[in-house]
Amino acid sequence: MYTWLLRRRDKRSLHSLSGRSLSTGRRIPGPLLTLMGGGEGRFLGVIDMFGEDGGLVEYRSSLLASRGFASLALPYFAFENLPPAKSEFHLEYFEDVADFLIRHPKVRGSGVGVTASGKGSDLALLMITFLPQVIAAVSVSGCCANTAAPLSYKDFTIPALAYDMSRVQNSETSVFDISEALDDPLDSANSQCLIPVEKAQGSFMFVVGDDLNWKSSVYAMATMSCLQQSGKSNYNLLSCPGAGHQIDPPSSPFCPVAVNRVLGVPILGGGELKAHCQAQEDSCQKIQDFFLDALKIR
């Protein structure tokens, strides 16, 4: 397998996203990377998003492409003409990207998948909940509610779960613990922030560890409980004891502490070296297996 890499000046590009208008009035960034599974034929389509740092991050998308997926690395703030900060989100932006990918001549099937980490994970849950084009979603260390900024779609808005920075703790090594800073999404006062995943028709996969950034394992269990109460069994959980917040592809650096781009300070993510690295190995293959199963049946 080889990959085709779409860049602004690549004469071998399969397609250019530059200049494509969105229904939100925004535009898809011109040098957006689309990584396509190489060879003849058509491939299963996957959108890949990351979290709090923003910008364009393509290494996981590259890995998926090398395994035969048509993978699109999607930035959603702090890149090109996108908003520099997470002030508001419009689901129409993500809808147009899903439409683009599913109509691409190298993509097969009647739906696409989404894999995402951190903040990107709640966007992935929102996509599979409200967009029929998205039929499979992987949430890595995500939340069960909309976070960071309000999200609008058509005639409704889902408010963002608030942070209370007074609950942040600072250690002797000047590493900040923000695990208690996010308001409790399961508190009835925050019910409007919850993502109504019971409306989704697709399949879910949740990947969690011993996350010290926020309570992703609690959020995953809450989401699965909601699905179960709605009579659904379209989900599975990969629990990785000893892994931290940032469960990336294999051979990615172990980051028990990482600088938060928004706060500009080091944040505790948790995890143990050996267990975390093993989780990255295990989750990588199982995410691919999940997409192969969830996307091929449609």
Side-chain angles (χ1 to χ4, degrees):
M1 279 295 177
Y2 61 92
T3 62
W4 290 322
L5 193 60
L6 302 193
R7 292 189 183 273
R8 179 180 295 166
R9 292 178 291 275
D10 188 352
K11 295 180 180 179
R12 297 168 296 174
S13 295
L14 294 175
H15 195 285
S16 174
L17 287 175
S18 182
R20 184 168 185 271
S21 295
L22 297 178
S23 57
T24 58
R26 303 184 189 278
R27 302 170 75 84
I28 296 178
L32 185 66
L33 278 179
T34 304
L35 299 167
M36 308 299 295
E40 299 299 326
R42 300 165 69 204
F43 306 90
L44 301 174
V46 176
I47 297 168
D48 179 48
M49 299 184 293
F50 278 80
E52 294 76 11
D53 289 338
L56 177 64
V57 184
E58 65 260 21
Y59 56 84
R60 186 166 59 201
S61 189
S62 301
L63 177 63
L64 287 169
S66 73
R67 299 300 187 269
F69 292 91
S71 183
L72 189 152
L74 182 65
Y76 52 93
F77 77 100
F79 182 73
E80 289 282 306
N81 53 303
L82 294 172
K86 297 175 288 188
S87 56
E88 61 177 339
F89 296 109
H90 299 274
L91 197 59
E92 287 86 352
Y93 171 79
F94 304 91
E95 181 176 40
D96 285 353
V97 172
D99 283 339
F100 162 79
L101 187 59
I102 202 170
R103 290 198 302 263
H104 197 285
K106 297 296 291 184
V107 173
R108 67 181 174 93
S110 58
V112 298
V114 182
T115 181
S117 306
K119 166 59 192 175
S121 289
D122 56 79
L123 290 171
L125 297 185
L126 286 158
M127 291 173 72
I128 195 173
T129 297
F130 294 109
L131 307 181
Q133 306 93 319
V134 178
I135 60 175
V138 176
S139 167
V140 182
S141 302
C143 186
C144 55
N146 182 44
T147 64
L151 178 134
S152 63
Y153 182 55
K154 296 181 177 178
D155 59 349
F156 68 86
T157 298
I158 297 180
L161 198 62
Y163 283 88
D164 184 347
M165 302 311 291
S166 68
R167 296 197 291 260
V168 173
Q169 299 181 24
N170 187 7
S171 71
E172 294 179 356
T173 57
S174 297
V175 174
F176 290 78
D177 180 348
I178 64 170
S179 59
E180 299 293 336
L182 188 67
D183 283 353
D184 183 2
L186 305 181
D187 188 320
S188 59
N190 299 317
S191 60
Q192 289 187 328
C193 302
L194 286 173
I195 300 168
V197 292
E198 67 276 6
K199 296 181 179 181
Q201 299 302 312
S203 301
F204 297 82
M205 178 177 181
F206 302 94
V207 181
V208 296
D210 296 331
D211 190 349
L212 296 182
N213 184 282
W214 59 8
K215 302 174 183 179
S216 55
S217 58
V218 174
Y219 305 151
M221 294 301 295
T223 307
M224 292 188 295
S225 176
C226 178
L227 291 167
Q228 188 176 38
Q229 290 173 18
S230 301
K232 299 189 175 184
S233 58
N234 54 343
Y235 58 87
N236 61 76
L237 172 70
L238 177 59
S239 180
C240 306
H245 174 71
Q246 198 167 326
I247 304 175
D248 282 339
S251 301
S252 298
F254 170 50
C255 298
V257 175
V259 175
N260 182 284
R261 181 181 180 277
V262 176
L263 300 177
V265 296
I267 298 298
L268 188 64
E272 301 170 0
L273 176 59
K274 185 175 180 179
H276 186 91
C277 293
Q278 186 62 56
Q280 294 190 150
E281 291 280 349
D282 295 343
S283 62
C284 176
Q285 185 58 56
K286 289 180 180 178
I287 287 171
Q288 293 173 52
D289 293 342
F290 167 77
F291 281 132
L292 287 172
D293 181 62
L295 297 177
K296 277 186 175 178
I297 64 175
R298 303 300 179 97

